[in-house]
Amino acid sequence: MTNILVPTDFTAYSLMMAEQAMKNGNYEKCNIVLFHAFQPPVSPLDMLGAGHRDPSCELMSEPFRQACKQLKDSHGSRINKIIVRCMTGSTRSVFRNFVEANDIDLIYCPEDYYFKPVHDRSVDPQFLFKKCGVPVLKSGVRKTEPVYEQPFMPSFPMAAQ
C-alpha cells in the first residue's frame, strides 16, 4: 500500500491536491496523509502546558471532515483511508523522523504550490520536503493564484457548510 503525503491548510483545496495525486498516479490502494507542520511553542507558559492546545484541533472543521469522507467515498476502493497528521517541529531531521514513522512513500506537492499559513505557528512544508529522501511528485494542475482567493469546485460533491 502506498502512503501519499499531501500538505493541507485544512481547506477544500488541499483535498483537491489529494484528488490530483490520485489522478496523476496509478495506485491500486493508498493512504492519503494530509500534513501540516507547526513551530514548537516558545512561550514559557506553552512549554509548561498551561493554555497550550493543539492548533490542529481548532483548524479541522466539520465541513473539512465531511469533505475528507466524500473524497474517500469518491475514489471507492483506491483510497484505504485519509489521515490528518500534524507535526510539531520545523527541521528536516524532525520531518525525516515523521516520514519514517508514518511510512511515507511519496509526497504530492505541485510545482507552484502556494503555502497559506493557517496559524501563527504554521511552517511552510516545501523546505522540509527537500532532501528528505522521499520522491516528491510536482506535476498537477494548479493555478498560480493563492488558493483562498479562488473558488474551488471539486469533482466530488462537497458537504454543505
Side-chain angles (χ1 to χ4, degrees):
M1 184 165 325
T2 305
N3 292 319
I4 306 169
L5 183 140
V6 178
T8 187
D9 57 4
F10 303 98
T11 64
Y13 187 78
S14 54
L15 298 180
M16 189 193 72
M17 288 194 320
E19 186 173 36
Q20 284 296 322
M22 294 301 300
K23 288 179 181 178
N24 289 336
N26 188 18
Y27 315 108
E28 288 183 27
K29 195 80 163 169
C30 70
N31 293 320
I32 302 292
V33 180
L34 298 172
F35 172 79
H36 196 85
F38 295 99
Q39 288 280 354
V42 293
S43 159
L45 288 177
D46 282 346
M47 285 188 234
L48 293 173
H52 174 67
R53 289 190 312 217
D54 181 0
S56 64
C57 295
E58 300 167 3
L59 298 169
M60 282 188 31
S61 65
E62 188 56 33
F64 179 76
R65 286 184 177 93
Q66 289 299 318
C68 287
K69 182 181 181 330
Q70 290 172 0
L71 172 64
K72 183 181 181 315
D73 293 345
S74 72
H75 285 280
S77 62
R78 291 183 66 205
I79 297 178
N80 179 50
K81 58 185 167 181
I82 297 175
I83 308 159
V84 177
R85 293 279 188 256
C86 295
M87 180 186 86
T88 300
S90 57
T91 65
R92 289 182 179 157
S93 61
V94 170
F95 183 66
R96 277 191 296 269
N97 290 337
F98 175 90
V99 164
E100 186 176 311
N102 289 280
D103 295 321
I104 302 299
D105 301 301
L106 176 72
I107 297 170
Y108 182 77
C109 187
E111 189 72 40
D112 56 352
Y113 170 74
Y114 179 83
F115 170 68
K116 176 187 166 194
V118 295
H119 190 273
D120 59 344
R121 292 183 11 226
S122 291
V123 174
D124 186 346
Q126 295 175 97
F127 164 77
L128 301 171
F129 298 163
K130 295 177 184 175
K131 300 180 182 178
C132 72
V134 175
V136 179
L137 179 61
K138 294 184 177 247
S139 64
V141 179
R142 172 93 198 241
K143 292 184 162 79
T144 56
E145 293 86 13
V147 61
Y148 56 90
E149 294 180 1
Q150 298 296 317
F152 169 59
M153 297 302 290
S155 63
F156 57 92
M158 293 291 289
Q161 294 196 17

